[in-house]
Amino acid sequence: MDKRFIAFMILSVMVLMANAWLMRWLQPPPPPAAQQVAEKADENPAERPQEGENPREPAGDEPAVGKADQRAEKAEPAALPKERPAADEVPRQHVTLGSIDPDSGYRMLVTLVNSGAAVERVELSSQRYLDQEDRSGYVGHMDLAPAPDRRPGALVQVVGPGTPAAAAGVQPGDIISAVNGEAIDDADGFEIALGRTEPGSQFTLAIERNGQAMELSGTLRRRPMDVIRPQQSKLLGPFDPLSFLLTMDSIDSKRIAKGEEELPGLAMRTANWQVLPRNDPDEVAFQYDLADYGLSVVKKFRLAKLDPADGDDPSAAAYHLQFDIEVRNVGDEPRKVAYRLEGPTGLPLEGAWYAYKISPNWRGGAGMRDVVVGFLRDGRTKYGLVSAYTIAEEKNVSPWQDEPLKYIGVDAQYFASALLPPEDAGDVDYAEAMPIRVGEVPEDRSKLNRTNVSFRLTSKVETVAPQGKAAVHAYKIFAGPKKPSLLANYGLSKLVYYGWFGSVAQIMVAILHTFYRFIPNYGIAIIMLTVLVRSLLFPVSRRQALNAQKMQELQPEIKRIQEKYKGNLEARSKAQQELFRKHSYNPLSGCLPLFLQLPIFMGLYRALAVDVELRGAPLLSSSIRWCSNLAAPDMLWHWQPYLPAFLAGPSGWLGPYFNVLPCITIALFLWQQKMFMPPPADEQAAMQQKMMQYMMIFICVMFFKVASGLCLYFIASSLWGIAERKLLPKFTPPTGGSPPSAPGRAAATRGGPGGNGAADTRKKHRGRA
């Protein structure tokens, strides 16, 4: 036994060392500059920027990409301004639509920038959808830029309605010099100071406005969820293009050359567009003039507002922008034109270190962000997905053509953004659509699933008559949570995918939502679900416990058989089978409860990974970090600064947090195993039981990053099983003398229920007496 045990331990250590070497090969250390920033962030976790989110917005003349939303009805051509400054004379300008105030009637706050006429950020206003990773105070995204004349401080470029900054009276053009009495030098200093705050606390900003110093104060709140945000693919690198950029794909005989982003002489993706006069606070239009071609391009965005009749219905169709593209010919000759539109970028990477997103494709798993597309075929929607892995490696990526497009977008774990053509657009109203990579490929190959991806839609060539005639295309842009009832209003129901046990997962979700209506706590709802499942399985689990007791009773006879047929395995096996048959014992009966619970386990696992209502649901309270999100690990203690990267890194075995619930789960498994496992009959059985105990440790490592809601289910289920075991009559082995020589005598000593064999043995025993 000692040799086998030592060999098992040596093999286990070798597996661990091989995996550590492989992880270091797949995840090389960052370059020196990035390493210094990472070390600085490790010293203060509150200052650490989340992957996919940046310490500040792009400023100056950095490239931007605009996000488009489609419109269902035909748009009226936008009025041309009387005087239009040249593109290089237009200053950089931000525009906001909607509000972050949940009582404002808007579902989102949209920040746009005229650099590329792009959508810079989309923040959801509902308190149901908050950022689960950044727990610092939120004052509002102000796209801070360097202060003029190289002075210390940060220049405010935009203030969103409903944000704490707006409530405090901050205005664009203000220069922030201090936060809560702490002087700042730039935008990064502002974010570091804000990272030390907490939601609900008071803040004070020292600002300069028109040469006068003043202080403004307010109350911080939880950071809302950004469905779209600016992103850097590499730490300290440039920002990726923003969302929904537009440029001309072709004008007459000129087309964009392969490998180029625009036609020669055009800078529609990066130049500052003219912001047209606004007559409606829910609408904004940007204009770009192509004087050399006699064309004028307008991008118009209009934010949907909640209908008062819908009240606070979370499924109301108010998570979209109406988006129009207008190409107007102001020249004297007809023009053949086609445009190229890119989709949303910077969707959430929330939970990238623990989440696992699955794909309906058989070719491979899904990334944290994938390109999805829906085509209309024979009155039904054909769903397609291209994973971030495929796009990052640029393998088997081909354009979609010749199929009527219903939607195309980017799909994340719990949120999505999609472009929807009008329902009456016709058979095929585009020339080509294809998935694209945005920004750089992650250097760490284990993070390919986090690649920033989007799509590119190219319109068909269209002839536009001169003298002010225009081609107008209307779209709708969805940006919101993947709530099934909400997605159904937009024809995006297929974005919710539970996997193989989808029907079971949907049943689990329905039961949890039902329990939640009575007790508004999903942690208690999961415990109630466990009680329901174990109650239904009680007859099976009770029989399992009785069989385990029966196995304890049969141990003396099994040992006698093993000694009798020590050198004859076939005879020993037949004798044991005859013994089991005589006492109606099935060695595999203990697996039945596990087999029956497997679909429930997988269904709950997928429900926690897919259902947006379970995301962010706390066990106790959202005000504390531990177990504040049942769809994520419990995150008791941030131990990343104290452990090596292969263990506690974002891609390490255990992750950056110590999670206590998996440890409690495994401890209960071991306790339950000790209670149910009969004493070893020989040396081999003892060795197997020891290996089972060590395997539990490996299972703990494998399950260390599972959702805390799933651990809660296992803990409640284990406690139920232990209680069942405790309440059953206990087996009392015979005292004194030699062990019973027949199975019947072993059964006679059991103080609980028995079969006919046990009753007959008791009769014979009384007769002999």
Side-chain angles (χ1 to χ4, degrees), residues 67 69 96-102 104-111 119 121-126 161 224-225 227-228 302-306 317-321 416 477-481 486 490:
K67 174 178 180 177
D69 186 60
T96 60
L97 299 175
S99 172
I100 203 66
D101 182 2
S104 62
Y106 297 99
R107 291 301 194 194
M108 61 182 74
L109 169 62
V110 182
T111 304
V119 174
R121 187 179 295 269
V122 174
E123 303 170 78
L124 302 184
S125 63
S126 174
M225 191 65 214
V227 178
I228 294 174
R302 181 176 181 82
L303 180 62
K305 193 170 184 180
L306 191 65
Y319 285 92
H320 67 272
L321 289 160
I477 299 174
F478 170 82
L486 173 64
Y490 292 95

mmCIF file of all heavy atoms in Angstrom, residues 67 69 96-102 104-111 119 121-126 161 224-225 227-228 302-306 317-321 416 477-481 486 490:
data_model
loop_
_atom_site.group_PDB
_atom_site.id
_atom_site.type_symbol
_atom_site.label_atom_id
_atom_site.label_comp_id
_atom_site.label_asym_id
_atom_site.label_seq_id
_atom_site.Cartn_x
_atom_site.Cartn_y
_atom_site.Cartn_z
ATOM 1 N N LYS A 67 -21.337 54.301 -32.867
ATOM 2 C CA LYS A 67 -22.248 53.156 -32.844
ATOM 3 C C LYS A 67 -23.576 53.551 -33.439
ATOM 4 O O LYS A 67 -24.103 54.580 -33.117
ATOM 5 C CB LYS A 67 -22.420 52.682 -31.398
ATOM 6 C CG LYS A 67 -23.458 51.620 -31.331
ATOM 7 C CD LYS A 67 -23.618 51.093 -29.942
ATOM 8 C CE LYS A 67 -24.663 50.041 -29.947
ATOM 9 N NZ LYS A 67 -24.862 49.403 -28.704
ATOM 10 N N ASP A 69 -27.715 52.917 -34.558
ATOM 11 C CA ASP A 69 -28.954 52.232 -34.195
ATOM 12 C C ASP A 69 -29.922 52.367 -35.343
ATOM 13 O O ASP A 69 -29.981 53.407 -35.963
ATOM 14 C CB ASP A 69 -29.536 52.870 -32.944
ATOM 15 C CG ASP A 69 -30.735 52.117 -32.459
ATOM 16 O OD1 ASP A 69 -30.593 50.949 -32.157
ATOM 17 O OD2 ASP A 69 -31.800 52.708 -32.397
ATOM 18 N N THR A 96 -24.623 64.082 -24.869
ATOM 19 C CA THR A 96 -25.254 63.005 -24.102
ATOM 20 C C THR A 96 -26.726 62.894 -24.460
ATOM 21 O O THR A 96 -27.382 63.890 -24.773
ATOM 22 C CB THR A 96 -25.115 63.241 -22.586
ATOM 23 O OG1 THR A 96 -25.751 64.469 -22.236
ATOM 24 C CG2 THR A 96 -23.656 63.277 -22.167
ATOM 25 N N LEU A 97 -27.220 61.685 -24.401
ATOM 26 C CA LEU A 97 -28.641 61.397 -24.568
ATOM 27 C C LEU A 97 -29.099 60.584 -23.363
ATOM 28 O O LEU A 97 -28.408 59.664 -22.920
ATOM 29 C CB LEU A 97 -28.899 60.605 -25.851
ATOM 30 C CG LEU A 97 -28.516 61.259 -27.182
ATOM 31 C CD1 LEU A 97 -28.719 60.284 -28.326
ATOM 32 C CD2 LEU A 97 -29.312 62.534 -27.416
ATOM 33 N N GLY A 98 -30.273 60.906 -22.838
ATOM 34 C CA GLY A 98 -30.810 60.145 -21.720
ATOM 35 C C GLY A 98 -30.251 60.589 -20.392
ATOM 36 O O GLY A 98 -29.699 61.687 -20.239
ATOM 37 N N SER A 99 -30.351 59.708 -19.402
ATOM 38 C CA SER A 99 -29.929 60.025 -18.044
ATOM 39 C C SER A 99 -29.619 58.736 -17.308
ATOM 40 O O SER A 99 -30.166 57.665 -17.628
ATOM 41 C CB SER A 99 -31.020 60.796 -17.306
ATOM 42 O OG SER A 99 -30.699 60.961 -15.942
ATOM 43 N N ILE A 100 -28.735 58.844 -16.301
ATOM 44 C CA ILE A 100 -28.422 57.693 -15.468
ATOM 45 C C ILE A 100 -29.386 57.582 -14.298
ATOM 46 O O ILE A 100 -29.376 56.602 -13.548
ATOM 47 C CB ILE A 100 -26.968 57.801 -14.956
ATOM 48 C CG1 ILE A 100 -26.417 56.414 -14.579
ATOM 49 C CG2 ILE A 100 -26.874 58.749 -13.781
ATOM 50 C CD1 ILE A 100 -26.252 55.494 -15.739
ATOM 51 N N ASP A 101 -30.257 58.548 -14.146
ATOM 52 C CA ASP A 101 -31.263 58.532 -13.084
ATOM 53 C C ASP A 101 -32.332 57.496 -13.423
ATOM 54 O O ASP A 101 -33.007 57.601 -14.456
ATOM 55 C CB ASP A 101 -31.892 59.922 -12.943
ATOM 56 C CG ASP A 101 -32.912 59.994 -11.814
ATOM 57 O OD1 ASP A 101 -33.110 58.982 -11.116
ATOM 58 O OD2 ASP A 101 -33.523 61.072 -11.638
ATOM 59 N N PRO A 102 -32.534 56.477 -12.575
ATOM 60 C CA PRO A 102 -33.530 55.440 -12.899
ATOM 61 C C PRO A 102 -34.962 55.954 -12.939
ATOM 62 O O PRO A 102 -35.833 55.301 -13.509
ATOM 63 C CB PRO A 102 -33.338 54.412 -11.780
ATOM 64 C CG PRO A 102 -32.655 55.133 -10.681
ATOM 65 C CD PRO A 102 -31.831 56.199 -11.312
ATOM 66 N N SER A 104 -35.832 58.780 -14.411
ATOM 67 C CA SER A 104 -35.904 59.796 -15.461
ATOM 68 C C SER A 104 -36.765 59.376 -16.641
ATOM 69 O O SER A 104 -37.095 60.207 -17.488
ATOM 70 C CB SER A 104 -34.495 60.123 -15.954
ATOM 71 O OG SER A 104 -33.888 58.969 -16.529
ATOM 72 N N GLY A 105 -37.102 58.094 -16.728
ATOM 73 C CA GLY A 105 -37.833 57.599 -17.891
ATOM 74 C C GLY A 105 -36.921 57.064 -18.973
ATOM 75 O O GLY A 105 -37.401 56.589 -20.002
ATOM 76 N N TYR A 106 -35.604 57.104 -18.749
ATOM 77 C CA TYR A 106 -34.637 56.566 -19.703
ATOM 78 C C TYR A 106 -34.016 55.297 -19.133
ATOM 79 O O TYR A 106 -33.785 55.190 -17.923
ATOM 80 C CB TYR A 106 -33.530 57.571 -20.010
ATOM 81 C CG TYR A 106 -33.996 58.842 -20.675
ATOM 82 C CD1 TYR A 106 -34.190 60.003 -19.935
ATOM 83 C CD2 TYR A 106 -34.237 58.887 -22.044
ATOM 84 C CE1 TYR A 106 -34.619 61.180 -20.536
ATOM 85 C CE2 TYR A 106 -34.659 60.054 -22.661
ATOM 86 C CZ TYR A 106 -34.858 61.194 -21.898
ATOM 87 O OH TYR A 106 -35.277 62.352 -22.503
ATOM 88 N N ARG A 107 -33.728 54.368 -20.015
ATOM 89 C CA ARG A 107 -33.077 53.130 -19.607
ATOM 90 C C ARG A 107 -31.555 53.231 -19.661
ATOM 91 O O ARG A 107 -30.866 52.336 -19.169
ATOM 92 C CB ARG A 107 -33.521 51.969 -20.499
ATOM 93 C CG ARG A 107 -34.957 51.543 -20.314
ATOM 94 C CD ARG A 107 -35.237 51.121 -18.896
ATOM 95 N NE ARG A 107 -36.498 50.416 -18.750
ATOM 96 C CZ ARG A 107 -37.091 50.182 -17.604
ATOM 97 N NH1 ARG A 107 -36.540 50.626 -16.494
ATOM 98 N NH2 ARG A 107 -38.224 49.528 -17.548
ATOM 99 N N MET A 108 -31.034 54.303 -20.233
ATOM 100 C CA MET A 108 -29.592 54.389 -20.383
ATOM 101 C C MET A 108 -29.153 55.840 -20.534
ATOM 102 O O MET A 108 -29.960 56.724 -20.859
ATOM 103 C CB MET A 108 -29.126 53.576 -21.593
ATOM 104 C CG MET A 108 -29.709 54.036 -22.923
ATOM 105 S SD MET A 108 -29.181 53.002 -24.316
ATOM 106 C CE MET A 108 -30.170 51.537 -24.029
ATOM 107 N N LEU A 109 -27.871 56.039 -20.283
ATOM 108 C CA LEU A 109 -27.201 57.300 -20.562
ATOM 109 C C LEU A 109 -26.180 57.014 -21.657
ATOM 110 O O LEU A 109 -25.283 56.194 -21.483
ATOM 111 C CB LEU A 109 -26.500 57.830 -19.311
ATOM 112 C CG LEU A 109 -25.550 59.014 -19.512
ATOM 113 C CD1 LEU A 109 -26.292 60.232 -20.040
ATOM 114 C CD2 LEU A 109 -24.818 59.356 -18.212
ATOM 115 N N VAL A 110 -26.344 57.685 -22.786
ATOM 116 C CA VAL A 110 -25.478 57.468 -23.944
ATOM 117 C C VAL A 110 -24.590 58.695 -24.110
ATOM 118 O O VAL A 110 -25.078 59.822 -24.184
ATOM 119 C CB VAL A 110 -26.305 57.240 -25.224
ATOM 120 C CG1 VAL A 110 -25.380 56.965 -26.404
ATOM 121 C CG2 VAL A 110 -27.285 56.090 -25.027
ATOM 122 N N THR A 111 -23.291 58.471 -24.151
ATOM 123 C CA THR A 111 -22.318 59.532 -24.389
ATOM 124 C C THR A 111 -21.748 59.362 -25.786
ATOM 125 O O THR A 111 -21.218 58.294 -26.116
ATOM 126 C CB THR A 111 -21.184 59.502 -23.352
ATOM 127 O OG1 THR A 111 -21.735 59.595 -22.040
ATOM 128 C CG2 THR A 111 -20.216 60.650 -23.579
ATOM 129 N N VAL A 119 -20.339 56.502 -30.805
ATOM 130 C CA VAL A 119 -20.886 56.220 -29.473
ATOM 131 C C VAL A 119 -19.707 55.852 -28.584
ATOM 132 O O VAL A 119 -19.013 54.874 -28.832
ATOM 133 C CB VAL A 119 -21.919 55.090 -29.509
ATOM 134 C CG1 VAL A 119 -22.360 54.726 -28.109
ATOM 135 C CG2 VAL A 119 -23.116 55.494 -30.346
ATOM 136 N N ARG A 121 -19.869 55.658 -24.976
ATOM 137 C CA ARG A 121 -20.217 54.875 -23.790
ATOM 138 C C ARG A 121 -21.732 54.771 -23.679
ATOM 139 O O ARG A 121 -22.449 55.727 -23.960
ATOM 140 C CB ARG A 121 -19.653 55.544 -22.533
ATOM 141 C CG ARG A 121 -19.811 54.754 -21.256
ATOM 142 C CD ARG A 121 -19.196 55.500 -20.084
ATOM 143 N NE ARG A 121 -17.765 55.633 -20.209
ATOM 144 C CZ ARG A 121 -16.878 54.769 -19.722
ATOM 145 N NH1 ARG A 121 -17.302 53.694 -19.081
ATOM 146 N NH2 ARG A 121 -15.589 54.973 -19.867
ATOM 147 N N VAL A 122 -22.205 53.601 -23.240
ATOM 148 C CA VAL A 122 -23.620 53.378 -22.935
ATOM 149 C C VAL A 122 -23.696 52.816 -21.528
ATOM 150 O O VAL A 122 -23.207 51.718 -21.252
ATOM 151 C CB VAL A 122 -24.280 52.415 -23.936
ATOM 152 C CG1 VAL A 122 -25.705 52.099 -23.499
ATOM 153 C CG2 VAL A 122 -24.280 53.002 -25.339
ATOM 154 N N GLU A 123 -24.305 53.567 -20.608
ATOM 155 C CA GLU A 123 -24.451 53.169 -19.214
ATOM 156 C C GLU A 123 -25.927 52.909 -18.925
ATOM 157 O O GLU A 123 -26.785 53.718 -19.285
ATOM 158 C CB GLU A 123 -23.930 54.262 -18.283
ATOM 159 C CG GLU A 123 -22.490 54.654 -18.530
ATOM 160 C CD GLU A 123 -22.099 55.898 -17.758
ATOM 161 O OE1 GLU A 123 -21.840 55.778 -16.542
ATOM 162 O OE2 GLU A 123 -22.064 56.991 -18.367
ATOM 163 N N LEU A 124 -26.205 51.786 -18.264
ATOM 164 C CA LEU A 124 -27.579 51.437 -17.933
ATOM 165 C C LEU A 124 -27.999 52.127 -16.636
ATOM 166 O O LEU A 124 -27.238 52.170 -15.664
ATOM 167 C CB LEU A 124 -27.724 49.924 -17.790
ATOM 168 C CG LEU A 124 -27.338 49.101 -19.025
ATOM 169 C CD1 LEU A 124 -27.623 47.627 -18.783
ATOM 170 C CD2 LEU A 124 -28.052 49.594 -20.264
ATOM 171 N N SER A 125 -29.204 52.659 -16.623
ATOM 172 C CA SER A 125 -29.671 53.436 -15.471
ATOM 173 C C SER A 125 -30.317 52.578 -14.387
ATOM 174 O O SER A 125 -30.410 53.009 -13.243
ATOM 175 C CB SER A 125 -30.672 54.495 -15.931
ATOM 176 O OG SER A 125 -31.827 53.888 -16.504
ATOM 177 N N SER A 126 -30.754 51.376 -14.721
ATOM 178 C CA SER A 126 -31.463 50.553 -13.748
ATOM 179 C C SER A 126 -30.538 50.101 -12.619
ATOM 180 O O SER A 126 -29.388 49.705 -12.859
ATOM 181 C CB SER A 126 -32.074 49.329 -14.433
ATOM 182 O OG SER A 126 -32.635 48.456 -13.486
ATOM 183 N N PRO A 161 -26.250 63.660 -17.454
ATOM 184 C CA PRO A 161 -27.422 63.929 -16.606
ATOM 185 C C PRO A 161 -27.686 62.768 -15.646
ATOM 186 O O PRO A 161 -27.560 61.599 -16.010
ATOM 187 C CB PRO A 161 -28.560 64.083 -17.614
ATOM 188 C CG PRO A 161 -27.886 64.466 -18.895
ATOM 189 C CD PRO A 161 -26.569 63.761 -18.889
ATOM 190 N N PRO A 224 -22.656 52.220 -12.407
ATOM 191 C CA PRO A 224 -23.602 51.497 -13.274
ATOM 192 C C PRO A 224 -22.865 50.594 -14.253
ATOM 193 O O PRO A 224 -21.647 50.689 -14.426
ATOM 194 C CB PRO A 224 -24.337 52.631 -13.997
ATOM 195 C CG PRO A 224 -23.343 53.739 -14.042
ATOM 196 C CD PRO A 224 -22.551 53.647 -12.767
ATOM 197 N N MET A 225 -23.615 49.727 -14.899
ATOM 198 C CA MET A 225 -23.030 48.819 -15.885
ATOM 199 C C MET A 225 -22.854 49.538 -17.210
ATOM 200 O O MET A 225 -23.785 50.168 -17.712
ATOM 201 C CB MET A 225 -23.932 47.590 -16.071
ATOM 202 C CG MET A 225 -23.271 46.489 -16.872
ATOM 203 S SD MET A 225 -21.856 45.824 -16.004
ATOM 204 C CE MET A 225 -20.777 45.430 -17.363
ATOM 205 N N VAL A 227 -22.512 48.928 -20.959
ATOM 206 C CA VAL A 227 -22.645 47.926 -22.016
ATOM 207 C C VAL A 227 -21.616 48.188 -23.114
ATOM 208 O O VAL A 227 -21.078 47.259 -23.718
ATOM 209 C CB VAL A 227 -24.070 47.927 -22.599
ATOM 210 C CG1 VAL A 227 -24.202 46.920 -23.730
ATOM 211 C CG2 VAL A 227 -25.080 47.594 -21.503
ATOM 212 N N ILE A 228 -21.335 49.461 -23.360
ATOM 213 C CA ILE A 228 -20.310 49.867 -24.324
ATOM 214 C C ILE A 228 -19.392 50.850 -23.619
ATOM 215 O O ILE A 228 -19.862 51.743 -22.906
ATOM 216 C CB ILE A 228 -20.943 50.513 -25.576
ATOM 217 C CG1 ILE A 228 -21.766 49.481 -26.348
ATOM 218 C CG2 ILE A 228 -19.888 51.130 -26.475
ATOM 219 C CD1 ILE A 228 -22.541 50.069 -27.515
ATOM 220 N N ARG A 302 -31.246 58.809 -32.089
ATOM 221 C CA ARG A 302 -32.392 59.198 -31.267
ATOM 222 C C ARG A 302 -32.621 58.121 -30.222
ATOM 223 O O ARG A 302 -32.805 56.938 -30.560
ATOM 224 C CB ARG A 302 -33.646 59.385 -32.112
ATOM 225 C CG ARG A 302 -34.867 59.821 -31.298
ATOM 226 C CD ARG A 302 -36.083 60.097 -32.166
ATOM 227 N NE ARG A 302 -37.218 60.523 -31.363
ATOM 228 C CZ ARG A 302 -37.403 61.760 -30.924
ATOM 229 N NH1 ARG A 302 -36.532 62.706 -31.250
ATOM 230 N NH2 ARG A 302 -38.450 62.078 -30.190
ATOM 231 N N LEU A 303 -32.630 58.521 -28.947
ATOM 232 C CA LEU A 303 -32.755 57.576 -27.844
ATOM 233 C C LEU A 303 -34.221 57.294 -27.541
ATOM 234 O O LEU A 303 -35.035 58.218 -27.435
ATOM 235 C CB LEU A 303 -32.061 58.127 -26.595
ATOM 236 C CG LEU A 303 -32.115 57.254 -25.346
ATOM 237 C CD1 LEU A 303 -31.404 55.924 -25.579
ATOM 238 C CD2 LEU A 303 -31.501 57.985 -24.158
ATOM 239 N N ALA A 304 -34.542 56.013 -27.384
ATOM 240 C CA ALA A 304 -35.901 55.622 -27.002
ATOM 241 C C ALA A 304 -36.153 55.971 -25.542
ATOM 242 O O ALA A 304 -35.254 55.897 -24.702
ATOM 243 C CB ALA A 304 -36.099 54.121 -27.218
ATOM 244 N N LYS A 305 -37.373 56.341 -25.249
ATOM 245 C CA LYS A 305 -37.757 56.695 -23.886
ATOM 246 C C LYS A 305 -38.875 55.777 -23.427
ATOM 247 O O LYS A 305 -39.705 55.329 -24.231
ATOM 248 C CB LYS A 305 -38.211 58.159 -23.820
ATOM 249 C CG LYS A 305 -38.330 58.706 -22.408
ATOM 250 C CD LYS A 305 -38.550 60.206 -22.407
ATOM 251 C CE LYS A 305 -38.566 60.765 -20.993
ATOM 252 N NZ LYS A 305 -38.770 62.228 -20.970
ATOM 253 N N LEU A 306 -38.884 55.492 -22.152
ATOM 254 C CA LEU A 306 -39.871 54.576 -21.595
ATOM 255 C C LEU A 306 -41.266 55.167 -21.701
ATOM 256 O O LEU A 306 -41.495 56.329 -21.357
ATOM 257 C CB LEU A 306 -39.536 54.289 -20.134
ATOM 258 C CG LEU A 306 -40.296 53.161 -19.442
ATOM 259 C CD1 LEU A 306 -39.974 51.828 -20.077
ATOM 260 C CD2 LEU A 306 -39.944 53.136 -17.957
ATOM 261 N N ALA A 317 -39.556 47.792 -24.248
ATOM 262 C CA ALA A 317 -38.592 47.987 -25.345
ATOM 263 C C ALA A 317 -38.099 49.431 -25.351
ATOM 264 O O ALA A 317 -38.521 50.255 -26.167
ATOM 265 C CB ALA A 317 -39.235 47.628 -26.675
ATOM 266 N N ALA A 318 -37.190 49.750 -24.428
ATOM 267 C CA ALA A 318 -36.624 51.098 -24.345
ATOM 268 C C ALA A 318 -35.105 51.056 -24.256
ATOM 269 O O ALA A 318 -34.491 52.026 -23.839
ATOM 270 C CB ALA A 318 -37.200 51.833 -23.139
ATOM 271 N N TYR A 319 -34.515 49.927 -24.646
ATOM 272 C CA TYR A 319 -33.063 49.775 -24.608
ATOM 273 C C TYR A 319 -32.475 49.921 -26.015
ATOM 274 O O TYR A 319 -31.711 49.071 -26.465
ATOM 275 C CB TYR A 319 -32.675 48.414 -24.030
ATOM 276 C CG TYR A 319 -32.843 48.305 -22.530
ATOM 277 C CD1 TYR A 319 -34.030 47.835 -21.975
ATOM 278 C CD2 TYR A 319 -31.818 48.661 -21.661
ATOM 279 C CE1 TYR A 319 -34.191 47.723 -20.593
ATOM 280 C CE2 TYR A 319 -31.966 48.547 -20.295
ATOM 281 C CZ TYR A 319 -33.150 48.089 -19.766
ATOM 282 O OH TYR A 319 -33.302 47.984 -18.416
ATOM 283 N N HIS A 320 -32.816 50.979 -26.707
ATOM 284 C CA HIS A 320 -32.298 51.107 -28.069
ATOM 285 C C HIS A 320 -32.190 52.557 -28.496
ATOM 286 O O HIS A 320 -32.776 53.460 -27.893
ATOM 287 C CB HIS A 320 -33.188 50.338 -29.052
ATOM 288 C CG HIS A 320 -34.551 50.918 -29.216
ATOM 289 N ND1 HIS A 320 -35.608 50.577 -28.395
ATOM 290 C CD2 HIS A 320 -35.049 51.834 -30.102
ATOM 291 C CE1 HIS A 320 -36.689 51.240 -28.766
ATOM 292 N NE2 HIS A 320 -36.374 52.022 -29.796
ATOM 293 N N LEU A 321 -31.416 52.736 -29.540
ATOM 294 C CA LEU A 321 -31.280 54.005 -30.242
ATOM 295 C C LEU A 321 -31.821 53.842 -31.645
ATOM 296 O O LEU A 321 -31.538 52.832 -32.297
ATOM 297 C CB LEU A 321 -29.804 54.431 -30.337
ATOM 298 C CG LEU A 321 -29.084 54.885 -29.073
ATOM 299 C CD1 LEU A 321 -27.585 54.787 -29.287
ATOM 300 C CD2 LEU A 321 -29.472 56.289 -28.712
ATOM 301 N N ALA A 416 -25.593 42.455 -24.350
ATOM 302 C CA ALA A 416 -25.361 42.369 -25.788
ATOM 303 C C ALA A 416 -25.675 43.711 -26.428
ATOM 304 O O ALA A 416 -26.393 44.539 -25.861
ATOM 305 C CB ALA A 416 -26.217 41.272 -26.416
ATOM 306 N N ILE A 477 -30.416 50.256 -32.860
ATOM 307 C CA ILE A 477 -29.299 49.694 -32.088
ATOM 308 C C ILE A 477 -29.821 49.270 -30.719
ATOM 309 O O ILE A 477 -30.312 50.109 -29.961
ATOM 310 C CB ILE A 477 -28.162 50.713 -31.900
ATOM 311 C CG1 ILE A 477 -27.613 51.129 -33.242
ATOM 312 C CG2 ILE A 477 -27.055 50.139 -31.036
ATOM 313 C CD1 ILE A 477 -26.590 52.229 -33.155
ATOM 314 N N PHE A 478 -29.683 47.988 -30.428
ATOM 315 C CA PHE A 478 -30.019 47.474 -29.104
ATOM 316 C C PHE A 478 -28.751 47.436 -28.258
ATOM 317 O O PHE A 478 -27.697 46.988 -28.713
ATOM 318 C CB PHE A 478 -30.622 46.076 -29.203
ATOM 319 C CG PHE A 478 -30.757 45.390 -27.863
ATOM 320 C CD1 PHE A 478 -31.835 45.661 -27.036
ATOM 321 C CD2 PHE A 478 -29.804 44.483 -27.429
ATOM 322 C CE1 PHE A 478 -31.968 45.051 -25.799
ATOM 323 C CE2 PHE A 478 -29.923 43.858 -26.198
ATOM 324 C CZ PHE A 478 -31.010 44.140 -25.382
ATOM 325 N N ALA A 479 -28.850 47.869 -27.013
ATOM 326 C CA ALA A 479 -27.744 47.779 -26.055
ATOM 327 C C ALA A 479 -28.344 47.592 -24.678
ATOM 328 O O ALA A 479 -28.870 48.538 -24.084
ATOM 329 C CB ALA A 479 -26.879 49.034 -26.100
ATOM 330 N N GLY A 480 -28.291 46.364 -24.175
ATOM 331 C CA GLY A 480 -28.926 46.132 -22.883
ATOM 332 C C GLY A 480 -28.687 44.737 -22.359
ATOM 333 O O GLY A 480 -27.877 43.967 -22.890
ATOM 334 N N PRO A 481 -29.415 44.364 -21.300
ATOM 335 C CA PRO A 481 -29.249 43.052 -20.671
ATOM 336 C C PRO A 481 -29.904 41.951 -21.493
ATOM 337 O O PRO A 481 -30.860 42.200 -22.240
ATOM 338 C CB PRO A 481 -29.949 43.225 -19.322
ATOM 339 C CG PRO A 481 -30.997 44.258 -19.593
ATOM 340 C CD PRO A 481 -30.411 45.201 -20.593
ATOM 341 N N LEU A 486 -37.197 40.724 -22.557
ATOM 342 C CA LEU A 486 -36.769 41.949 -23.243
ATOM 343 C C LEU A 486 -36.248 41.629 -24.637
ATOM 344 O O LEU A 486 -36.599 42.300 -25.614
ATOM 345 C CB LEU A 486 -35.692 42.654 -22.418
ATOM 346 C CG LEU A 486 -35.021 43.866 -23.075
ATOM 347 C CD1 LEU A 486 -36.023 44.981 -23.298
ATOM 348 C CD2 LEU A 486 -33.851 44.352 -22.221
ATOM 349 N N TYR A 490 -37.228 42.469 -29.286
ATOM 350 C CA TYR A 490 -36.332 42.893 -30.359
ATOM 351 C C TYR A 490 -35.989 41.760 -31.331
ATOM 352 O O TYR A 490 -35.171 41.947 -32.222
ATOM 353 C CB TYR A 490 -35.025 43.439 -29.760
ATOM 354 C CG TYR A 490 -35.190 44.741 -29.007
ATOM 355 C CD1 TYR A 490 -35.370 44.749 -27.623
ATOM 356 C CD2 TYR A 490 -35.181 45.952 -29.673
ATOM 357 C CE1 TYR A 490 -35.525 45.935 -26.926
ATOM 358 C CE2 TYR A 490 -35.334 47.150 -28.986
ATOM 359 C CZ TYR A 490 -35.503 47.132 -27.614
ATOM 360 O OH TYR A 490 -35.656 48.322 -26.935
#
